[in-house]
């Protein structure tokens, strides 16, 4: 796990979640489906770390934001990409 200092970052998270939930998200046709599971890429999107945080903590907070309208949605994080935001 990598720790990130407070600052602005661009985050992209790839996660798997139930296809039933993925079909309710914006533009579900862009996701990869395999049976009852969907692989979804969230981002890239700008985020701000307010305190020193790990990549897993930033990714979890970001997914909670992205899935706000799907409370209780279960997901598995497959990959996390965090880069400093140059803007």
């Amino acid at each position: 796990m990598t720790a990130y200092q407070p600052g602005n970052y661009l985050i992209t998270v790839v996660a798997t979640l139930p296809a039933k939930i993925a079909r309710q998200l914006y533009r579900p046709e862009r996701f990869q489906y395999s049976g009852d599971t969907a692989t979804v890429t969230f981002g890239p999107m700008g985020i701000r770390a307010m305190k020193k945080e790990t990549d897993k903590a930033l990714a979890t907070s970001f997914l909670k934001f992205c899935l706000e309208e799907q409370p209780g949605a279960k997901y598995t994080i497959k990959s996390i990409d965090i880069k400093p935001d140059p803007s």
Side-chain angles (χ1 to χ4, degrees), residues 9-13 30 41-47 62 81 83:
Y9 298 93
L10 288 175
I11 188 169
T12 302
V13 178
R30 63 195 166 114
T41 301
F42 296 94
M45 184 174 174
I47 61 167
F62 177 58
D81 182 38
K83 298 177 183 164

Side-chain angles (χ1 to χ4, degrees), residues 2 5 9 12 19 21 31 34 36 39 41 46-48 53 56 60 62 64-66 69 71 74 78-79 81 86:
T2 304
Q5 298 298 325
Y9 298 93
T12 302
I21 300 295
F31 307 141
S34 177
D36 292 340
T39 301
T41 301
I47 61 167
R48 180 167 180 80
E53 295 187 71
K56 181 86 169 181
T60 300
F62 177 58
K64 283 182 182 177
F65 168 77
C66 292
E69 294 181 4
K74 302 291 184 204
K78 295 297 181 183
S79 70
D81 182 38

Side-chain angles (χ1 to χ4, degrees), residues 12-19 21-23 25-28 30-33 37-43 63 66-67 76-79:
T12 302
V13 178
V14 177
T16 57
L17 54 134
I21 300 295
R23 286 188 184 97
L25 299 175
Y26 176 71
R27 291 185 52 209
R30 63 195 166 114
F31 307 141
Q32 301 297 315
Y33 295 92
T37 305
T39 301
V40 180
T41 301
F42 296 94
L63 285 181
C66 292
L67 296 170
T76 303
I77 296 173
K78 295 297 181 183
S79 70

